[in-house]
Amino acid sequence: RAGRGDVGIERACGFGRVRENGVTRQVALLRGVNLGKRQVVMAELRAVLEDAGFEDVRTLLASGNVVLSSKLKGAKLETKLEAVILGGLGLKTDVFVRDADQLDAVIAGNPFKAFTKANSTFMVVQFMRAPASKAELETIAKTALLGEEAKQGDGCLYIKFPNGQGPSKLKTPKLATARNWNTVLKLAAAVRAE
């Protein structure tokens, strides 16, 4: 299987890693994994993805974060991963893919840098496929009762939770998956790692 012994020739592409054969390191974020009854064992997820031909598969934490190498990108990779996970694990989930450059842009674009420095676990990035609609942004504003604040980013929403997510009643877009700031930084480092 590719990726186990074949190192390949790589060239730098921004902070991303692109092999000469067109394979790129990317992060796949699964929505709603290991919440309630939607339990997934990360070793099983890794095995299903490796069996489907994905290379250098790693999971990070137990919340549906996968770092892998693939020739597919963006929506094509998301669709493929969703089908593989459904077929291999019986789990229907949305997958959001980002490469290293996209994660760097998310980190650089954080509009709440001072808040994040002091409260990184209360800073959340909600990864999305499209910008939040006007109605979704209005709903966020109406339900931000504990000082929460959200700003649209490129492919994401930045949300600060001054009192944490637990007591919050904030209603956010449904077709999205959220990660706290510390996880975003770990994902960005992992996608650049050898």
Side-chain angles (χ1 to χ4, degrees):
R1 178 179 306 151
R4 295 230 171 149
D6 176 23
V7 174
I9 299 171
E10 298 179 342
R11 62 183 164 80
C13 178
F15 286 107
R17 312 240 351 138
V18 178
R19 291 189 178 160
E20 297 245 342
N21 61 2
V23 174
T24 305
R25 293 290 284 162
Q26 299 171 74
V27 172
L29 308 169
L30 283 63
R31 179 177 176 262
V33 170
N34 291 342
L35 300 172
K37 294 182 180 182
R38 294 173 50 91
Q39 299 298 308
V40 174
V41 176
M42 293 298 109
E44 292 174 8
L45 174 61
R46 223 175 11 256
V48 164
L49 296 177
E50 287 173 348
D51 288 345
F54 293 103
E55 302 176 20
D56 309 316
V57 179
R58 285 184 51 207
T59 55
L60 181 70
L61 307 172
S63 54
N65 306 305
V66 180
V67 180
L68 53 78
S69 296
S70 175
K71 287 184 179 182
L72 296 175
K73 297 178 184 175
K76 288 182 180 179
L77 179 55
E78 291 170 347
T79 299
K80 173 76 173 180
L81 289 168
E82 289 168 0
V84 166
I85 293 165
L86 180 60
L89 298 174
L91 176 69
K92 183 170 175 44
T93 187
D94 296 302
V95 177
F96 300 80
V97 171
R98 299 295 187 270
D99 65 22
D101 291 338
Q102 290 169 317
L103 287 172
D104 286 343
V106 166
I107 292 166
N110 180 357
F112 303 120
K113 287 182 174 69
F115 175 84
T116 304
K117 187 173 183 180
N119 305 284
S120 60
T121 58
F122 292 171
M123 179 65 205
V124 170
V125 176
Q126 189 163 27
F127 293 91
M128 305 169 65
R129 292 200 176 124
S133 68
K134 183 179 178 184
E136 288 170 329
L137 292 173
E138 288 171 358
T139 298
I140 290 170
K142 288 178 188 173
T143 59
L145 305 176
L146 299 175
E148 303 95 334
E149 189 176 349
K151 297 228 183 219
Q152 184 71 59
D154 186 17
C156 68
L157 279 175
Y158 298 94
I159 307 171
K160 66 178 188 177
F161 291 90
N163 298 299
Q165 292 182 66
S168 178
K169 302 295 184 207
L170 193 70
K171 292 190 179 179
T172 60
K174 294 206 184 299
L175 186 55
T177 190
R179 300 296 186 271
N180 79 28
W181 193 254
N182 294 333
T183 300
V184 172
L185 295 178
K186 287 176 185 173
L187 290 166
V191 80
R192 290 187 212 104
E194 290 291 329

